[in-house]
Structures are given as structure tokens and as C-alpha cells.
């Protein structure tokens, strides 16, 4: 007896070239992208201010992230011809449309970090698949 496979989820509706969609999701869901986009908000910031505002990001990672965001049209880079050199970044209209989702993701992480930490601790103690999650009573598994 063979079991019929059930295809589900958003990937089913995506076109044949869905690798491009996955690539965009990889960029927009990256932790540094989320932090850069939420840090920029609706203001223009200098590179050095972005670097100082995002704990843990290296100069290289900030540069790589900003270049990718600029390439995708989510951020605009403006270099000023002055001494010392100054470079500013701001979010584009397209980037602002992404910020709504990114802010929600960041807010969810901030609001739920304690529950995730508790589940990780439980997993470390008893292993995967051996117990209900910490909040199984409020969010029963389907």
C-alpha cells in the first residue's frame, strides 16, 4: 500500500523559479538584515552609527549586509565628498514595506525570548521529542 504524498505550504504556489523567492527570503530573514532594517527605521544614519548601534556585528558583516540591501533596492547609500569621508544610509520605499514584517519579527523575538529559552533548557535536559513543550498547555500540538 502506498501513501499519497500531500504537498502543502507556500512553496506549492510559487513559480518554477522559486529559487529566487528563497534567495530573497534568505536575505530578508537574515539576523543582520533584520537588525539593520529595524535600526535604520525612518531615519538616515552614518555607517559608524549603525556599527555602534548593533551589538555583535562586525565591520565586514555590516558592509556585506548593507551592500546586499542596497543591491536589492531596500537601502540607499549616499557618500558625501568631505573630509573626513561620510557615508549615510537610509531605507527606500521598498525597504519601508519590508520594515513592517521585519519589525513584527523582531518584536516577536523580544516578547518570546523567555519562552524559547525555557524550551531550549527543557530540550537540553530531556532531549527532542520526549516531552511536551513548556507552553504545551496553552498551545497544544495539533
Amino acid at each position: 500500500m502506498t501513501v499519497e504524498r500531500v504537498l502543502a505550504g507556500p512553496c506549492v504556489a510559487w513559480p518554477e523559479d522559486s529559487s529566487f523567492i528563497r534567495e530573497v527570503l534568505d536575505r530578508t530573514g537574515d539576523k543582520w538584515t533584520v537588525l539593520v532594517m529595524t535600526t535604520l527605521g525612518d531615519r538616515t544614519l552614518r555607517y559608524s552609527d549603525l556599527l555602534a548601534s548593533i551589538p555583535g556585528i562586525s565591520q565586514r558583516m555590516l558592509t556585506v549586509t548593507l551592500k546586499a540591501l542596497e543591491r536589492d533596492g531596500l537601502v540607499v547609500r549616499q557618500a558625501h565628498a568631505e573630509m573626513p569621508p561620510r557615508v549615510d544610509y537610509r531605507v527606500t520605499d521598498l525597504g519601508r514595506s519590508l520594515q513592517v514584517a521585519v519589525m513584527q519579527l523582531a518584536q516577536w523575538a523580544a516578547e518570546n525570548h523567555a519562552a524559547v529559552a525555557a524550551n531550549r533548557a527543557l530540550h537540553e535536559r530531556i532531549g527532542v521529542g520526549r516531552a511536551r513543550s513548556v507552553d504545551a498547555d496553552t498551545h497544544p500540538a495539533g
Side-chain angles (χ1 to χ4, degrees), residues 99-117:
Q99 275 182 324
V100 173
V102 167
M103 287 298 291
Q104 289 175 336
L105 181 60
Q107 185 64 40
W108 181 91
E111 290 172 357
N112 292 286
H113 76 277
V116 172

Side-chain angles (χ1 to χ4, degrees), residues 14 17-18 27 40 43 49 56 60 69 81 85 116 119 121 128 131:
W14 290 347
D17 64 346
S18 63
R27 163 56 42 216
L40 278 171
R43 60 192 159 282
D49 292 334
R60 180 188 177 284
L69 292 172
V116 172
N119 278 302
V128 70

